[in-house]
Amino acid sequence: MPLTYISGTGSAVPSKVLTNEDLEKIVDTSDEWIRSRSGIERRHIAGDGETTATLGAEAARRALEDAGVSPEEVEFIIVATVTPEMFFPSTACVIQDMIGAKNAGAMDISAACSGFLYGLSVADRFVGAGQFETVLVVASETLSKITDWTDRNTCVLFGDGAGAAVVRQSPDGERGIIKAILRSDGSKGGLLYMPAGGSRHPTSHETVEKRLHFIKMNGREVFKVAVEAMGEASASVVEGAGYRPEDVDLLIPHQANIRIIQATAKRLGIPMERVYVNIQEYGNTSAASIPIAIDEAKRKGALRPGDLVVAVAFGGGLTWASVLFRF
Ligand code: UT7
């Protein structure tokens, strides 16, 4: 199969910022605790009129512009999110309309923080198989809408934002997606989830009173699995493709916790100078975290065409994924 590559990137985050100091006024926490336990200093929060689709559409427009592709040329749109506009229609359909991609099919992917890498991998197969020439992968989240702002265990961690990538056939057979690993363990789904609102616990007065429409997380247990899974997945994708850690120019990990990121880099054998970190600015934006990091790293010159990159994510499901690509 021919290689497919990321031909354009874009991102969009809300302008409204919530600092650790702001959170000190809402729950019993401290800037020192949040920084030392997670690495987070600020996060961006959707304002009036900003939704998963508006942020995703803005990231998508920027990615299309970056790739020099018109909306009409897009043949398929994949949107990764756990905070969709609504159950249906899909957020992908809403974004398809917003950006005027009138020739595109559209669907959502639900794989939590691993969603962008799952979506990228699906896009890679569609393009590689010749089904489509141009696929748009968007990851967008407004986690602030499902965050329990009275729960200090979770509310200090999450933020809102969107990232997008245009995927097309590699122009030179050098740049492109080399290998992907996609995994899951549904038996541990209860470690990180939103209990109500679906068919198991439809919305009722009781589900609202019990605060079941918010993120619930066993942070300590999730932490342990994340360290193991992200380390293993990133090492396997490099080794499985016949590369060594020293060949990797940049590790772009899901931005959930600086200590998980450091452990992943150590397991992979890559110094922190070659790891992209922006958790301090955005917190954990779930599926959006990796495409925001890719786009930002590119704009800052930390990611250059031809660089060998490992992206690795972990999240609700549980799901985890790693993708090795030459940017
Ligand atoms: O997106 C992918 C999925 N999510 C993740 O990857 C998150 C994984 N987990 C984590 O990042 C970490 O487990 C946390 C940042 C959530 C927590 O860090 P920790 O070092 O695992 O802390 P802990 O849960 O062991 O809690 C330590 C203490 C507890 O007090 P006691 O029981 O020791 O007295 C908590 O009650 O810290 C307390 N605590 C807080 N204190 C101040 C919990 N949250 C806060 C808070 N401020 N916001």
Side-chain angles (χ1 to χ4, degrees):
M1 250 190 229
L3 277 185
T4 66
Y5 86 124
I6 296 174
S7 76
T9 65
S11 61
V13 292
S15 53
K16 189 172 147 194
V17 166
L18 191 68
T19 65
N20 291 351
E21 288 76 14
D22 295 329
L23 282 164
E24 287 176 353
K25 296 175 197 134
I26 303 173
V27 286
D28 180 17
T29 191
S30 66
D31 172 49
E32 201 284 326
W33 191 95
I34 303 170
R35 267 176 208 255
S36 61
R37 299 293 179 118
S38 72
I40 300 165
E41 295 169 23
R42 296 142 54 94
R43 68 286 290 147
H44 294 242
I45 302 292
D48 289 344
E50 279 176 320
T51 68
T52 297
T54 66
L55 291 168
E58 191 50 35
R61 284 186 202 102
R62 290 175 187 171
L64 290 173
E65 196 185 327
D66 187 44
V69 168
S70 71
E72 292 80 11
E73 287 176 85
V74 177
E75 291 167 287
F76 202 69
I77 301 171
I78 298 169
V79 173
T81 185
V82 288
T83 47
E85 295 284 288
M86 54 196 86
F87 263 149
F88 67 92
S90 68
T91 304
C93 282
V94 180
I95 292 176
Q96 175 272 333
D97 180 44
M98 281 178 170
I99 65 173
K102 58 184 185 198
N103 299 311
M107 69 171 183
D108 284 2
I109 281 189
S110 175
C113 309
S114 312
F116 177 75
L117 296 184
Y118 270 59
L120 189 63
S121 195
V122 172
D124 174 36
R125 297 291 91 179
F126 269 139
V127 173
Q131 170 93 13
F132 301 123
E133 266 178 38
T134 306
V135 177
L136 180 62
V137 184
V138 182
S140 184
E141 302 281 14
T142 45
L143 294 173
S144 63
K145 317 263 186 186
I146 58 164
T147 294
D148 183 347
W149 293 102
T150 67
D151 176 12
R152 71 173 185 174
N153 290 298
T154 52
C155 77
V156 301
L157 302 173
F158 301 112
D160 301 337
V166 175
V167 176
R168 306 187 103 180
Q169 194 170 322
S170 176
D172 53 15
E174 296 284 328
R175 298 170 67 190
I177 296 164
I178 299 163
K179 188 173 171 62
I181 292 176
L182 310 177
R183 294 276 160 73
S184 67
D185 181 358
S187 74
K188 295 195 173 75
L191 294 180
L192 175 53
Y193 72 134
M194 189 179 92
S199 60
R200 188 180 295 183
H201 300 297
T203 308
S204 66
H205 286 294
E206 194 189 352
T207 60
V208 173
E209 271 161 23
K210 288 185 170 166
R211 310 183 77 75
L212 299 181
H213 296 271
F214 295 121
I215 300 168
K216 310 283 177 197
M217 181 173 76
N218 181 335
R220 218 171 286 184
E221 288 307 311
V222 170
F223 188 97
K224 284 188 218 156
V225 189
V227 165
E228 174 64 26
M230 283 184 44
E232 175 61 27
S234 51
S236 298
V237 83
V238 173
E239 203 183 300
Y243 288 91
R244 295 161 304 162
E246 48 272 38
D247 299 324
V248 175
D249 295 298
L250 196 64
L251 171 66
I252 303 186
H254 171 48
Q255 312 282 316
N257 187 312
I258 188 67
R259 293 179 292 144
I260 298 175
I261 293 172
Q262 287 162 343
T264 304
K266 195 172 168 197
R267 166 77 174 77
L268 186 54
I270 284 188
M272 285 303 288
E273 300 83 73
R274 284 194 274 137
V275 182
Y276 195 77
V277 176
N278 63 6
I279 191 171
Q280 66 283 355
E281 179 62 33
Y282 305 111
N284 180 347
T285 57
S286 185
S289 124
I290 286 180
I292 290 173
I294 291 175
D295 184 52
E296 195 180 79
K298 177 180 155 179
R299 281 186 285 108
K300 286 187 171 170
L303 175 59
R304 290 168 298 270
D307 279 352
L308 188 66
V309 179
V310 180
V312 61
F314 174 88
L318 299 175
T319 59
W320 57 101
S322 60
V323 176
L324 180 75
F325 59 97
R326 200 167 281 290
F327 187 64

